[in-house]
Amino acid sequence: MKKAFILSALAALSLNVHATDLSKTYLEIGYSKSDFKEEKYFDKTDYDLVGHQLSLSYEFENGIYAGLHTKRHRETFLVDLFDQDVELDENLVELGYVAHKAQSGRFSIGAFIGALDLSVEDNSNDADLYRVYTEYDHCFNQYFSAFAKLGYESVDGEGASSENGLWTEVGIRAHWGSSSLSWEFSQGEVVEQVAFVYRYSF
C-alpha cells in the first residue's frame, strides 16, 4: 500500500513537471540561420544569413498567451561583383490560446503579425508578415519534449506580389529544471530557418 502511494505521488509530480516545461511563459535567446527559398531573392545554396534571435512570452491563467519575437540575421556576400552587407530583420507579435491540455501534451491556436526587412547595403525592402497556426506540444518524459506547428503564411512586400501558402515549424527540446535547449526548423513561402535556442521558463 505504501509503495503504491509513493508511485502515485511520483507520477503526479512527473505530470506537474511536464506542465511546467510546456508553459508559454519564457525568455529565449538563440543562434539561427535564414535561407531564401527562391532565386528571385538569392541563390539559396550560396546565401545563408546568420545571427541571433530573442523571444519573450507570457501565458495567462485562462490559457491565452502573448509574445514578442525578433531575429537579426546578417552576412557579407559578393553581389554584382562587389562585397555587400545583407541584413534580414524579423519582428513579430504573437497571440494564441491553449485550447486543450492532455496528460502529456497541449493543443494551441495562434497568430503572428509583424514585418520582415531585407537590406542590401543602402537598399531596403519591407514586407508585412501574417501567420495563423495550430500547434501541438508533447512531453515524452521530464527530460525531452517536441512540438509541431502547421499554418498559413502571407508575406506582402512593398511593390511586389504577396507570397501566400503553407508555413510549418518543428522542434525538439532537452529539459533540465526551468531551462531547456532546442533545435528548431521552420519553412515558409520565402525563408527557411534553422535555430538552436536556450529557453528559461518562469
Side-chain angles (χ1 to χ4, degrees), residues 21 23 36 52 67 111 113 123 128 133 136 163 166 173 180-181 189 199:
D21 288 344
S23 171
F36 289 91
H52 66 275
I113 183 171
N123 297 318
D128 295 326
Y133 67 86
Y136 178 62
E163 302 280 351
L166 188 67
R173 293 191 177 97
S180 65
L181 282 176
E189 286 302 297
R199 171 183 288 193

Side-chain angles (χ1 to χ4, degrees), residues 2-202:
K2 184 177 180 181
K3 183 178 179 181
F5 176 77
I6 293 174
L7 290 175
S8 298
L10 289 175
L13 179 60
S14 176
L15 291 178
N16 289 334
V17 170
H18 291 175
T20 301
D21 288 344
L22 298 181
S23 171
K24 293 288 189 182
T25 301
Y26 60 80
L27 173 66
E28 283 186 344
I29 186 169
Y31 169 86
S32 52
K33 180 186 76 169
S34 290
D35 230 355
F36 289 91
K37 292 181 63 179
E38 299 184 19
E39 292 185 3
K40 66 181 179 180
Y41 300 100
F42 293 105
D43 180 356
K44 64 169 290 191
T45 60
D46 296 331
Y47 294 97
D48 295 334
L49 302 177
V50 296
H52 66 275
Q53 64 183 60
L54 180 67
S55 296
L56 179 63
S57 178
Y58 184 80
E59 181 181 334
F60 298 91
E61 291 185 3
N62 58 5
I64 294 175
Y65 59 90
L68 298 173
H69 309 273
T70 65
K71 293 179 182 177
R72 299 293 182 264
H73 292 168
R74 291 165 168 77
E75 196 56 87
T76 301
F77 301 112
L78 184 66
V79 180
D80 296 330
L81 302 180
F82 294 96
D83 284 338
Q84 296 187 355
D85 293 329
V86 180
E87 302 178 0
L88 178 67
D89 294 342
E90 182 179 304
N91 300 290
L92 299 175
V93 175
E94 181 182 20
L95 184 64
Y97 175 66
V98 181
H100 179 70
K101 297 181 182 180
Q103 182 174 340
S104 57
R106 311 198 317 169
F107 289 95
S108 305
I109 56 174
F112 291 99
I113 183 171
L116 297 176
D117 181 17
L118 175 64
S119 300
V120 181
E121 290 298 327
D122 297 328
N123 297 318
S124 178
N125 292 300
D126 297 329
D128 295 326
L129 175 62
Y130 308 94
R131 292 182 186 134
V132 291
Y133 67 86
T134 60
E135 178 183 20
Y136 178 62
D137 283 298
H138 182 78
C139 264
F140 299 105
N141 52 50
Q142 70 185 73
Y143 302 108
F144 294 99
S145 69
F147 71 91
K149 295 178 181 177
L150 177 64
Y152 176 83
E153 176 182 78
S154 177
V155 182
D156 297 323
E158 293 182 357
S161 60
S162 61
E163 302 280 351
N164 305 310
L166 188 67
W167 175 78
T168 59
E169 184 177 36
V170 295
I172 186 166
R173 293 191 177 97
H175 299 265
W176 69 99
S178 299
S179 297
S180 65
L181 282 176
S182 64
W183 171 88
E184 302 172 3
F185 173 79
S186 66
Q187 178 174 285
E189 286 302 297
V190 176
V191 180
E192 293 178 355
Q193 295 177 327
V194 176
F196 297 92
V197 180
Y198 168 78
R199 171 183 288 193
Y200 182 81
S201 299
F202 297 96

